[in-house]
């Protein structure tokens, strides 16, 4: 394969192993704002027609708040085009919907995130964070990404979805298979210890697809590629409808829309997929990204240690500076113009959060990490109708975990080089070795 040139760098997953190309994004953002990106073949993905990369903050907001012009449903939300037979089932996922279908399902989900249910979750999250950090304190070192950050969103999502704790590593496996489609380490199958697992989990594993001779799992966009997830979700939905608990998904199954309809089992399966994967991976990437930021700016870490009241603003700056989701796609459903660029119906339009969150017209000294930045109107959770519905819970998890790190571990230092996820979609760190002085 020839080395990528010019704007092709933005689409090549190899680029992001070395880090988000912020210097290139900054130059393109200042000079053009909206640029054309060719779409060469990558790995097993065929070459595509290319897309418009939207790099400025204001233009990203325009695209995200205009579903009548820039659709999530027509071409879905990933850069790479899905095969036509996959479009109908994938359009049933909330992330790939436009109003009014999206509005109906989001409204039901918003009702399920009742204040009482969220308050219970917040209390549990604090306990999980302290337990995770406490479990490694005597070791003096760990892989922050794997040993601490990976588990907190799994525990939280298990509570949201009503999944028993013994089954939560199923979600870790599912998330790896979907998000790690461009990374060999994540894409490879992982073993699941069925000791203590529920009968639901055991039955789901019986339909788990087999890896190929290289240990790689089949395309996760295919229903058969995630057969175990859908089998588990279907059985869980039926159980929760008959035996509701106090989890969010049990509450969701009881909600009624304006026409008297309820969430169907099929809709539940798609929401389960979305939360298990997207809900897990965003926080899983943001936590080591935030720690990497603190380690990269030790003076900011020292400021945070001296004033714990800055944990909240620090989390917002971590989300801006790191941007756990690099980009999202829309498709133009009519001829339009953006930043003096003519966009045709059917063109792919990809908004880059990693660029918008460093737009110098919105953020002063945008490449620096500053935990006292105020205001900080970052777009890490999106904007418009698809603004992340679980943003508050993501913030709670980050505040809880970094609060526990400050309280229990104190000052930590790098213990090796971070290993980044090979992905042009998720800005992730797979391994982040850290060390600290074991408290006496």
């Amino acid at each position: 394969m020839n080395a990528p040139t010019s704007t092709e760098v933005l689409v090549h997953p190899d680029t992001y192993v070395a880090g988000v190309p912020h210097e290139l994004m900054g130059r393109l953002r200042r000079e053009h704002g909206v640029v054309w990106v060719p779409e060469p073949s990558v790995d097993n993905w065929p070459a595509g027609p290319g897309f418009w990369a939207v790099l400025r903050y204001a233009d990203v907001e325009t695209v995200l708040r205009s579903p009548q012009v820039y659709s999530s449903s027509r071409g879905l939300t990933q850069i790479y085009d899905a095969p036509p037979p996959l479009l109908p089932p994938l359009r049933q996922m909330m992330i790939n919907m436009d109003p009014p279908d999206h509005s109906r399902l989001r409204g039901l989900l918003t009702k399920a995130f009742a204040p009482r249910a969220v308050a219970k979750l917040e209390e549990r999250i604090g306990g999980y964070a302290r337990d995770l950090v406490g479990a490694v304190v005597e070791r003096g070192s760990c892989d922050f990404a794997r040993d601490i950050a990976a588990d907190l969103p799994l525990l939280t999502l298990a509570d949201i979805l009503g999944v028993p704790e013994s089954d939560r590593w199923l979600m870790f496996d599912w998330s790896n298979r979907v998000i790690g489609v461009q990374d060999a380490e994540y894409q490879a199958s992982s073993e699941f210890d069925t000791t203590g697992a529920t009968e639901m989990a055991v039955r789901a594993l019986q339909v788990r697809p087999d890896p190929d001779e290289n240990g790689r799992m089949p395309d996760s966009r295919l229903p058969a590629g995630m057969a175990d997830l859908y089998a588990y979700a279907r059985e869980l939905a039926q159980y929760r409808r008959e035996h509701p608990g106090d989890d969010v998904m049990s509450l969701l199954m009881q909600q009624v829309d304006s026409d008297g309809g309820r969430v169907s089992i099929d809709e539940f399966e798609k929401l389960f997929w979305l939360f298990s994967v997207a809900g897990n991976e965003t926080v899983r990437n943001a936590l080591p990204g935030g720690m990497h930021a603190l380690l990269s700016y030790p003076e900011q870490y020292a400021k945070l240690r001296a004033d714990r009241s800055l944990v909240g603003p620090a989390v917002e700056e971590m989300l801006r500076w790191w941007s756990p989701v690099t980009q999202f796609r829309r498709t133009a459903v009519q001829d339009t113009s953006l930043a003096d660029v003519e966009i045709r119906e059917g063109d792919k339009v990809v908004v880059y959060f990693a660029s918008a969150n460093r737009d110098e017209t919105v953020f002063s000294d945008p490449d620096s990490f500053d935990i006292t930045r105020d205001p900080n109107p970052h777009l890490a959770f999106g904007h418009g109708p698809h603004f992340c519905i679980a943003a508050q819970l993501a913030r709670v998890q980050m505040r809880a975990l970094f609060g526990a790190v400050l309280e229990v571990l104190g000052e930590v230092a790098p213990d090796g080089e971070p290993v980044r996820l090979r992905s042009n979609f998720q800005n992730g760190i797979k391994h982040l070795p850290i060390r600290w002085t074991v408290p006496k």
Side-chain angles (χ1 to χ4, degrees):
M1 182 189 300
N2 294 328
T5 59
S6 184
T7 55
E8 282 184 22
V9 168
L10 294 177
V11 78
H12 259 270
D14 286 342
T15 299
Y16 298 86
V17 175
V20 176
H22 284 297
E23 185 176 347
L24 173 63
M25 286 183 180
R27 178 172 59 80
L28 294 173
R29 181 177 63 244
R30 290 185 291 272
E31 294 177 359
H32 305 286
V34 176
V35 297
W36 183 255
V37 180
E39 210 178 330
S41 60
V42 176
D43 301 336
N44 296 324
W45 303 92
F51 60 88
W52 294 107
V54 183
L55 301 167
R56 291 175 182 158
Y57 185 100
D59 296 328
V60 168
E61 282 196 320
T62 295
V63 171
L64 294 178
R65 67 168 177 255
S66 309
Q68 71 281 7
V69 180
Y70 304 100
S71 168
S72 299
S73 177
R74 177 158 172 175
L76 310 183
T77 50
Q78 301 295 297
I79 288 177
Y80 303 110
D81 291 320
L86 281 181
L87 288 174
L90 290 175
R91 283 175 178 149
Q92 295 174 23
M93 292 188 175
M94 193 171 78
I95 199 171
N96 296 325
M97 288 180 176
D98 293 324
D101 294 334
H102 175 265
S103 306
R104 170 191 166 269
L105 203 52
R106 186 182 176 94
L108 290 170
L109 195 53
T110 300
K111 292 179 184 177
F113 274 92
R116 183 178 176 185
V118 172
K120 285 185 177 180
L121 280 170
E122 291 184 0
E123 186 176 328
R124 291 173 189 161
I125 288 167
Y128 293 150
R130 290 187 294 272
D131 289 347
L132 287 169
V133 176
V136 301
V137 64
E138 297 298 330
R139 289 163 47 179
S141 66
C142 76
D143 180 345
F144 182 83
R146 178 80 187 200
D147 297 337
I148 298 178
D151 231 359
L152 184 58
L154 291 176
L155 290 162
T156 302
L157 285 167
D159 280 350
I160 291 174
L161 299 170
V163 172
E165 185 177 334
S166 61
D167 296 350
R168 71 181 186 274
W169 280 97
L170 278 172
M171 293 189 292
F172 185 77
D173 175 45
W174 295 331
S175 183
N176 280 356
R177 283 153 56 188
V178 174
I179 299 299
V181 67
Q182 297 171 333
D183 191 291
E185 180 181 344
Y186 272 21
Q187 197 179 56
S189 65
S190 60
E191 295 296 324
F192 179 73
D193 184 2
T194 58
T195 303
T198 65
E199 293 182 6
M200 270 193 306
V202 174
R203 285 191 288 270
L205 287 170
Q206 290 173 355
V207 297
R208 186 178 190 269
D210 295 323
D212 63 17
E213 62 275 9
N214 297 315
R216 295 189 176 186
M217 302 297 285
D219 190 339
S220 58
R221 297 177 305 170
L222 300 169
M226 299 298 290
D228 47 337
L229 181 150
Y230 288 119
Y232 190 95
R234 190 176 309 115
E235 191 167 344
L236 180 64
Q238 292 169 341
Y239 179 83
R240 288 302 180 197
R241 180 156 279 174
E242 297 170 3
H243 306 90
D246 61 358
D247 56 276
V248 170
M249 286 298 158
S250 289
L251 294 173
L252 175 64
M253 299 300 285
Q254 301 169 46
Q255 302 304 316
V256 179
D257 62 27
S258 58
D259 295 325
R262 294 180 181 270
V263 172
S264 68
I265 298 296
D266 186 61
E267 288 174 328
F268 180 91
E269 290 177 21
K270 302 299 191 299
L271 285 170
F272 186 90
W273 184 100
L274 182 63
F275 272 85
S276 296
V277 176
N280 174 23
E281 202 63 22
T282 299
V283 179
R284 180 179 165 190
N285 290 333
L287 290 169
M291 177 57 75
H292 177 61
L294 291 175
L295 297 175
S296 300
Y297 288 82
E299 78 284 357
Q300 296 296 309
Y301 195 176
K303 186 182 294 186
L304 184 58
R305 290 187 64 212
D307 185 356
R308 305 271 180 92
S309 70
L310 291 174
V311 168
V315 163
E316 298 305 314
E317 180 67 346
M318 291 170 186
L319 289 164
R320 183 201 70 85
W321 188 84
W322 183 251
S323 294
V325 177
T326 304
Q327 46 78 9
F328 251 109
R329 170 188 168 182
R330 299 291 188 263
T331 304
V333 293
Q334 64 186 55
D335 291 350
T336 187
S337 63
L338 186 68
D340 297 323
V341 171
E342 297 299 317
I343 296 173
R344 300 299 179 192
E345 179 187 356
D347 283 356
K348 301 185 200 182
V349 179
V350 179
V351 296
Y352 276 82
F353 301 112
S355 175
N357 282 337
R358 298 202 181 193
D359 189 329
E360 46 283 303
T361 67
V362 179
F363 305 98
S364 62
D365 194 13
D367 292 327
S368 293
F369 178 73
D370 178 6
I371 64 171
T372 62
R373 187 181 297 277
D374 183 33
N376 194 347
H378 63 79
L379 299 176
F381 293 119
H383 180 71
H386 279 273
F387 181 82
C388 177
I389 199 166
Q392 176 60 17
L393 284 178
R395 289 180 164 111
V396 168
Q397 291 176 77
M398 293 183 70
R399 290 196 295 262
L401 190 63
F402 285 106
V405 167
L406 291 168
E407 179 182 346
V408 179
L409 302 184
E411 184 176 5
V412 304
D415 198 32
E417 291 298 315
V419 179
R420 299 179 66 113
L421 178 67
R422 182 180 183 265
S423 172
N424 61 17
F425 174 55
Q426 290 275 347
N427 186 20
I429 292 180
K430 299 186 295 183
H431 303 288
L432 183 63
I434 63 171
R435 57 182 168 81
W436 60 89
T437 301
V438 177
K440 294 182 180 179

